[in-house]
Amino acid sequence: MQELTSMRLTTQRQIILEELSKVTSHPTANEVYDMVRRRLPRIGLGTVYRNLELMAETGMILKLEVGGTQKRFDATVAPHYHVRCLECGKVDDIKMQVQHNINETAAQASQYQILGHHIEFTGLCSDCATSTHQASIN
Amino acid sequence: MQELTSMRLTTQRQIILEELSKVTSHPTANEVYDMVRRRLPRIGLGTVYRNLELMAETGMILKLEVGGTQKRFDATVAPHYHVRCLECGKVDDIKMQVQHNINETAAQASQYQILGHHIEFTGLCSDCATSTHQASIN
DNA sequence: TTTTATTTGAGAAGGTTTATCATCTGGTAT
DNA sequence: ATACCAGATGATAAACCTTCTCAAATAAAA
């Protein structure tokens, strides 16, 4: 794993973290790339991927391996849950208590050494709920 | 969405479902392809992807959009939770009660129309827990 | 400043999934 | 049985996301 101590403070790194911290959406690597490119037009996509991965390893940010095809990133490190819209793929936070106790239940119900859990709710965001409803009328 | 009524019962479809039903692991599309190919050597990878997707749409099987790079499939349709090994990527079932109540909690805590949830535990399977432990001794 | 190990940008490569399309086939009607 | 046809298949290409490679650039230490 990457050591925090040996990580240089490059402009690219700072701006990637700054831009990710600005939003509460959970952007994909490519969306972060678009955000960062407005300030650093010559940055490479590989640099964004490399640094998001690195920051996730050191725990500076969260890598969300949720449903959908792409990985998403989150500057909020504290454990919390997510909802994903089945229609548009948008991911939002769910502000509810973290169920610490279920890790033990899972540990007892399996042969695994349980290290954590993540809950992903699925449903329709307010925008898509409206349009889907309208579509079902037609 | 694909209608069950208009789905032909092709040999390929039957065997894909049969092979998936045989295992309790949660194979990726490529793993299903390998399993099916032993009985239908001329089947195409696209056919496997197409049918797994189709069966997931009709609810015949479950498509797991869990962490890791690849999607995994499951012949057990009843709601249940999963553990993923952080080391080897293996996915197993967790036999614990489904927390029906948390959907309401999530609905109240968000603007989404909540349709369901999935819990993915992360940890180390017994094999990897051993080898990782040994590695940390060295 | 000079040095050096790390990082970058550009592009290639890898891996997974989806799309395309001529051919084939299961199910139905004849 | 046979013919028909919408739907399915297999082969291949394409799309997509992510990782790798490496010469050039650069942050940080000497």
Side-chain angles (χ1 to χ4, degrees), chain B residues 8-9 45 49 70-71:
Chain B
R8 285 205 210 147
L9 282 87
L45 178 58
Y49 269 100
Q70 300 166 71
K71 282 167 189 156

Side-chain angles (χ1 to χ4, degrees), chain B residues 38-130:
Chain B
R38 292 200 284 268
R39 294 174 60 187
L40 284 180
R42 300 191 48 79
I43 197 172
L45 178 58
T47 302
V48 175
Y49 269 100
R50 199 187 313 122
N51 282 311
L52 287 172
E53 191 61 39
L54 231 47
M55 292 184 207
E57 276 182 23
T58 59
M60 296 170 69
I61 65 171
L62 230 59
K63 176 165 67 169
L64 304 186
E65 302 199 342
V66 295
T69 41
Q70 300 166 71
K71 282 167 189 156
R72 290 172 175 275
F73 297 87
D74 190 344
T76 305
V77 176
H80 60 285
Y81 301 142
H82 296 101
V83 220
R84 178 168 51 94
C85 179
L86 292 170
E87 199 66 20
C88 69
K90 188 168 68 174
V91 174
D92 275 311
D93 292 337
I94 286 275
K95 289 172 182 40
M96 64 180 278
Q97 252 192 327
V98 174
Q99 321 269 301
H100 296 290
N101 54 307
I102 64 175
N103 282 0
E104 291 169 31
T105 313
Q108 285 164 12
S110 77
Q111 297 289 95
Y112 280 65
Q113 178 185 340
I114 303 291
L115 296 173
H117 74 264
H118 178 245
I119 305 186
E120 185 189 344
F121 293 91
T122 44
L124 297 173
C125 72
S126 45
D127 290 351
C128 292
T130 311

Side-chain angles (χ1 to χ4, degrees), chain A:
Chain A
M1 200 217 253
Q2 179 69 22
E3 305 257 341
L4 265 171
T5 51
S6 66
M7 266 185 82
R8 284 200 207 151
L9 282 86
T10 63
T11 315
Q12 289 84 344
R13 241 160 234 175
Q14 284 173 252
I15 294 187
I16 288 171
L17 187 56
E18 277 177 31
E19 290 299 313
L20 184 61
S21 301
K22 275 185 188 168
V23 296
T24 57
S25 63
H26 302 72
T28 62
N30 206 72
E31 287 167 349
V32 174
Y33 176 54
D34 286 341
M35 289 154 57
V36 170
R37 216 161 21 150
R38 291 200 285 268
R39 293 174 61 186
L40 284 180
R42 299 191 47 79
I43 197 173
L45 178 58
T47 303
V48 174
Y49 268 99
R50 199 186 312 122
N51 283 310
L52 287 172
E53 191 61 39
L54 231 47
M55 293 184 205
E57 274 181 24
T58 58
M60 297 170 69
I61 65 172
L62 230 59
K63 176 165 65 167
L64 303 187
E65 302 199 343
V66 295
T69 40
Q70 299 165 72
K71 281 167 190 156
R72 292 171 174 276
F73 297 87
D74 190 344
T76 305
V77 176
H80 60 284
Y81 300 141
H82 296 101
V83 220
R84 177 168 52 94
C85 178
L86 291 171
E87 198 66 21
C88 68
K90 187 167 69 175
V91 174
D92 275 311
D93 292 336
I94 287 272
K95 290 173 182 38
M96 64 180 276
Q97 251 191 328
V98 173
Q99 320 270 301
H100 295 291
N101 55 308
I102 64 174
N103 281 1
E104 292 169 31
T105 313
Q108 285 164 12
S110 77
Q111 297 288 95
Y112 281 65
Q113 178 185 339
I114 303 291
L115 296 172
H117 74 264
H118 177 246
I119 305 186
E120 184 188 345
F121 293 92
T122 44
L124 297 173
C125 72
S126 44
D127 290 351
C128 291
T130 312
S131 55
T132 301
H133 183 243
Q134 286 177 342
S136 71
I137 291 172
N138 301 337

Side-chain angles (χ1 to χ4, degrees), chain B residues 21-34:
Chain B
S21 301
K22 275 185 190 167
V23 297
T24 57
S25 63
H26 300 72
T28 62
N30 205 72
E31 286 167 350
V32 174
Y33 177 54
D34 285 341

